Amino acid sequence: MSAIIPRMDLSELGEFGLIDLIHTITERLKDPEHPSWQRLLIGIGDDTAAWQSNGQTQLATTDTLVQNVHFDLKDITWEELGWKALAINLSDIAAMGGIPQYALVSLALPGALEVENICEFYDGMARLANEFGVAIVGGNIAVAPNVVITVALLGSARNEKMLRRSSATPGEQIAVTGYLGLSAACLMMLKERTSLDAETIKILRQGHFRPVPRVREGQVLVDQGIKTAIDISDGLIADLGHICEASEVSAEVRIEQVPIHPLVKANFQNYQQLALGGGEDYELLFTANKADIERVRQTIHYPITIIGNITQEGLPDRVTLLDAKGNITGYEKGGWEHFKDGAVEA
Amino acid sequence: MSAIIPRMDLSELGEFGLIDLIHTITERLKDPEHPSWQRLLIGIGDDTAAWQSNGQTQLATTDTLVQNVHFDLKDITWEELGWKALAINLSDIAAMGGIPQYALVSLALPGALEVENICEFYDGMARLANEFGVAIVGGNIAVAPNVVITVALLGSARNEKMLRRSSATPGEQIAVTGYLGLSAACLMMLKERTSLDAETIKILRQGHFRPVPRVREGQVLVDQGIKTAIDISDGLIADLGHICEASEVSAEVRIEQVPIHPLVKANFQNYQQLALGGGEDYELLFTANKADIERVRQTIHYPITIIGNITQEGLPDRVTLLDAKGNITGYEKGGWEHFKDGAVEA
């Protein structure tokens, strides 16, 4: 195997390079004769895995929060941590238009932690679980030097239909739910100790520490015949890039149309960077024709904004940004990529 | 909530206390009206969770390996780490008599790691996955100061039947598959730098770093009508204690009958402690009447040893050890309990 593996460390390869590599390895090593592989509909490379099971489509996803990488215990409460650890997984099920059902929770924890913190953690998680009908049914606990939380979330597809990353086609519009930028703005506020009024702080914190996964909106998308979606976790442009890569298409985004949250626009000079590249908004980004998007808009009772369109295949620059006059422009990249971005302190 | 929570840290509460607490909290916080809860067959407190889904029983489990807690990269190869991370989850499915199907793999990794290590990791995991028909279909990667590996494994029950911890009844015999002590003996050898011949070292290392989960044996148990089993991960006596607690029974173990691996007996003075308390053998411990055990023995082509019996309910000391003459005896406790046992270095 080593013959094909370049000698480098993970920080050189980067998060997305590593995901591609793992995809390649597991594809090459698999035994396709096994029933599990034969019933598999979606493996590595979409928001969740999916397989056929007794006439139903099962969905499964997992996501991890690492202390001092994804959160700082100085900023986040344990109740928020419980909420967010489940929310980021729910968002993956939402991006498939699926129905979330069962969660397993793995906690790696230092022994010096207060027992009460764990109660608050489950309190926050159970609140969100109940909101979306999820049962917390198992998990694992282990001692560790720093907190690592991994949730695995199982669910099922709605009427066997799923939103994919790989089905965008040229001519479709690109749309996004809600408003962007709150989560990244909150991080910036905490880092720069920006002084803001109490109500603004509350809304920014809510956006970053207690995101609401768009589970119901994802289900409406599937019901209305939409085929393509992703949740915005890495950042609008990065996640649109994932759609372009999986669908082998390109995209144009009209920056002026991106629904930046008014509080971000009012309080942060780099609001465009926060909304386009910040990530962790957990809104849904989807593509469809105009009539379908209009039908979704009338059903959903939640903001839907068209921000651009899918263009013909094969353009070298997959996501092109256009200013108000239609000229090609750029923005300072901000999306987070594991391994490549920044060092981690133990 | 805080009114009922004692003010203490996790090292005082201990692993099993924390599991009980999480069980209590999630039970109290759940919304039992949701379909997910109504279809749930087994929640926290057995080897896997289980629920009804379209006329099938689904199983799900998750287990974590933390660097410098569960493994030391000076001792284990990346290929062994991949094998073991899946094996410990397969062992939980085995303990239910289930069919393993789909795995999600979450890796928290330092950026300085060689890419080749990750290839070796998946090589080891895929080898075991193919052995038991498991498809590796997704996961997550994140940067972290130390390696944390969490696998979530999904499967299904065999003909709707499952091995439980809670169904042991007085009068039944207690039996165990295979031989015990290799895993703990390997750890001791590494710690004390015990000098042993190459073949012995190889077998000890195999026992600890490349355990074979008893998936097929678990399926035979279910097929032969056995109702009660657990896998030996915490240690024979500790895991028998889990059965006694869940079933509200007591147990007697005749120490002389415990199948201690001959290489452990030959090379370690504390062989009894290693086999009774060491843990991580990943053999199956089960209870049944003598005729059923005899039928299993004739089907299974793998050692099955009767080591004691389930006694009447309500004895204060749940697991009693008897020496060759039938007198009550003891042994130095060795089973690992997270948080209570030892500190962790970052």
Side-chain angles (χ1 to χ4, degrees):
Chain A
M1 160 150 347
S2 57
I4 64 144
I5 305 304
R7 284 196 70 84
M8 55 166 78
D9 69 18
L10 298 187
S11 60
E12 289 171 83
L13 184 63
E15 178 182 2
F16 303 125
L18 181 56
I19 292 173
D20 285 346
L21 178 67
I22 290 172
H23 192 176
T24 308
I25 301 171
T26 51
E27 276 298 308
R28 203 182 47 235
L29 293 173
K30 79 179 184 187
D31 181 347
E33 297 299 308
H34 281 299
S36 300
W37 284 111
Q38 292 179 353
R39 292 200 310 265
L40 187 68
L41 302 170
I42 306 173
I44 294 168
D46 214 310
D47 293 291
T48 76
W51 60 87
Q52 276 295 330
S53 168
N54 253 24
Q56 245 195 356
T57 302
Q58 304 288 327
L59 307 177
T61 186
T62 185
D63 226 327
T64 297
L65 294 176
V66 180
Q67 184 179 0
N68 300 336
V69 178
H70 299 95
F71 64 89
D72 189 327
L73 287 174
K74 287 199 310 289
D75 298 322
I76 196 168
T77 68
W78 279 92
E79 199 266 344
E80 289 166 337
L81 200 49
W83 175 288
K84 186 161 180 174
L86 181 58
I88 60 179
N89 281 281
L90 281 167
S91 185
D92 282 321
I93 298 273
M96 305 298 280
I99 303 162
Q101 292 166 327
Y102 295 97
L104 303 174
V105 184
S106 295
L107 301 175
L109 304 167
L113 224 58
E114 285 280 327
V115 169
E116 203 176 331
N117 294 332
I118 303 306
C119 297
E120 290 160 5
F121 175 88
Y122 277 96
D123 209 28
M125 184 173 281
R127 197 161 301 175
L128 185 60
N130 288 339
E131 175 84 18
F132 291 110
V134 170
I136 301 167
V137 295
N140 187 71
I141 55 170
V143 70
N146 60 325
V147 179
V148 180
I149 301 160
T150 300
V151 173
L153 185 62
L154 298 322
S156 64
R158 206 166 153 89
N159 305 318
E160 309 306 296
K161 293 190 290 185
M162 287 177 284
L163 303 167
R164 301 292 309 267
R165 294 182 179 185
S166 55
S167 40
T169 53
E172 285 183 325
Q173 306 289 304
I174 302 164
V176 65
T177 63
Y179 294 95
L180 304 180
L182 281 179
S183 179
C186 174
L187 269 188
M188 185 158 201
M189 169 187 80
L190 292 170
K191 195 176 154 200
E192 317 260 306
R193 298 166 187 276
T194 317
S195 151
L196 295 167
D197 66 276
E199 192 58 26
T200 302
I201 291 172
K202 193 178 151 192
I203 292 168
L204 292 180
R205 282 188 60 94
Q206 196 96 0
H208 184 68
F209 293 120
R210 202 186 290 270
V212 178
R214 299 297 158 200
V215 176
R216 294 195 187 93
E217 291 76 8
Q219 292 172 357
V220 169
L221 293 182
V222 144
D223 289 350
Q224 294 299 327
I226 309 297
K227 301 260 183 285
T228 311
I230 192 170
D231 68 320
I232 300 180
S233 54
D234 295 329
L236 174 66
I237 303 307
D239 287 312
L240 183 52
H242 296 326
I243 285 184
C244 288
E245 200 183 332
S247 300
E248 295 178 34
V249 295
S250 294
E252 280 175 0
V253 171
R254 293 180 290 281
I255 284 189
E256 296 298 317
Q257 293 180 16
V258 172
I260 301 174
H261 196 283
L263 285 177
V264 177
K265 224 166 178 168
N267 293 290
F268 296 85
Q269 284 194 327
N270 63 337
Y271 59 84
Q272 224 163 50
Q273 186 206 329
L274 295 172
L276 293 168
E280 292 207 87
D281 283 311
Y282 299 108
E283 294 293 343
L284 296 179
L285 177 68
F286 63 101
T287 73
N289 65 49
K290 232 173 185 161
D292 287 345
I293 295 175
E294 200 42 56
R295 224 173 42 248
V296 167
R297 204 200 303 273
Q298 282 162 15
T299 320
I300 215 168
H301 305 298
Y302 188 68
I304 301 283
T305 312
I306 292 177
I307 61 167
N309 49 282
I310 299 294
T311 57
Q312 77 246 42
E313 302 169 31
L315 280 186
D317 228 351
R318 294 184 165 213
V319 179
T320 307
L321 303 183
L322 304 177
D323 66 16
K325 294 174 181 157
N327 297 321
I328 292 177
T329 179
Y331 83 106
E332 211 182 316
K333 191 179 172 295
W336 167 270
E337 184 173 355
H338 274 286
F339 304 112
K340 282 197 167 168
D341 289 319
V344 181
E345 288 165 51
Chain B
M1 159 147 352
S2 57
I4 64 144
I5 306 304
R7 285 196 73 80
M8 56 166 78
D9 69 17
L10 298 186
S11 61
E12 289 171 83
L13 184 63
E15 179 182 2
F16 303 125
L18 181 56
I19 292 173
D20 285 346
L21 178 68
I22 291 171
H23 191 176
T24 308
I25 300 171
T26 51
E27 277 297 309
R28 203 181 48 233
L29 294 173
K30 79 179 183 186
D31 181 347
E33 297 299 309
H34 280 300
S36 300
W37 284 111
Q38 291 179 354
R39 293 199 311 265
L40 187 68
L41 302 170
I42 305 173
I44 294 168
D46 214 311
D47 293 292
T48 77
W51 60 85
Q52 275 296 330
S53 169
N54 253 25
Q56 243 196 357
T57 302
Q58 303 288 328
L59 307 178
T61 186
T62 184
D63 226 326
T64 298
L65 294 177
V66 180
Q67 183 179 0
N68 299 336
V69 177
H70 299 95
F71 63 89
D72 189 326
L73 286 174
K74 288 199 308 290
D75 298 322
I76 196 167
T77 68
W78 279 92
E79 199 266 345
E80 289 167 337
L81 200 49
W83 175 288
K84 186 162 181 175
L86 181 59
I88 60 179
N89 280 281
L90 281 166
S91 185
D92 282 321
I93 298 274
M96 305 298 281
I99 304 162
Q101 293 166 326
Y102 295 98
L104 302 174
V105 184
S106 294
L107 300 175
L109 303 168
L113 224 58
E114 285 281 326
V115 170
E116 203 176 332
N117 294 332
I118 302 304
C119 298
E120 290 161 4
F121 175 88
Y122 277 96
D123 210 27
M125 184 173 281
R127 197 160 302 175
L128 185 60
N130 288 339
E131 175 83 19
F132 291 110
V134 170
I136 300 167
V137 294
N140 187 71
I141 54 169
V143 69
N146 60 324
V147 179
V148 180
I149 301 160
T150 300
V151 173
L153 185 62
L154 296 324
S156 64
R158 206 167 152 89
N159 305 319
E160 310 304 297
K161 292 190 289 184
M162 287 177 286
L163 303 167
R164 302 292 309 266
R165 293 183 179 184
S166 55
S167 39
T169 52
E172 285 183 327
Q173 306 289 303
I174 302 164
V176 65
T177 63
Y179 294 95
L180 304 180
L182 280 179
S183 179
C186 175
L187 269 188
M188 184 159 201
M189 168 187 79
L190 292 169
K191 195 175 155 201
E192 317 259 307
R193 298 165 187 277
T194 318
S195 151
L196 296 165
D197 66 276
E199 192 58 27
T200 301
I201 291 172
K202 195 179 150 191
I203 292 169
L204 292 180
R205 283 188 60 93
Q206 195 98 0
H208 184 69
F209 293 120
R210 202 186 290 270
V212 178
R214 298 297 159 200
V215 176
R216 294 196 187 92
E217 292 75 9
Q219 292 172 356
V220 169
L221 293 182
V222 144
D223 290 349
Q224 294 298 328
I226 308 297
K227 301 261 183 282
T228 311
I230 192 170
D231 68 319
I232 300 179
S233 54
D234 295 328
L236 174 66
I237 303 306
D239 287 312
L240 183 52
H242 297 325
I243 285 185
C244 288
E245 202 183 330
S247 300
E248 296 179 33
V249 296
S250 294
E252 280 177 0
V253 171
R254 292 180 291 282
I255 285 189
E256 296 299 317
Q257 293 180 15
V258 172
I260 302 175
H261 196 283
L263 285 178
V264 178
K265 225 166 179 169
N267 292 292
F268 297 85
Q269 283 194 326
N270 63 337
Y271 59 84
Q272 225 163 49
Q273 187 206 329
L274 296 172
L276 293 168
E280 293 207 87
D281 282 311
Y282 299 108
E283 294 293 344
L284 297 179
L285 176 68
F286 62 102
T287 73
N289 64 50
K290 233 172 184 162
D292 287 346
I293 294 175
E294 199 43 54
R295 223 172 43 247
V296 167
R297 204 199 304 271
Q298 281 162 17
T299 320
I300 215 168
H301 304 299
Y302 189 67
I304 301 282
T305 312
I306 292 177
I307 62 167
N309 49 281
I310 299 294
T311 57
Q312 78 245 42
E313 302 169 31
L315 279 187
D317 229 350
R318 294 185 164 210
V319 179
T320 307
L321 304 183
L322 303 177
D323 66 15
K325 293 174 182 157
N327 297 321
I328 292 178
T329 180
Y331 82 107
E332 213 183 314
K333 190 180 171 294
W336 167 269
E337 183 173 355
H338 273 288
F339 304 112
K340 282 197 167 168
D341 289 319
V344 181
E345 288 165 50

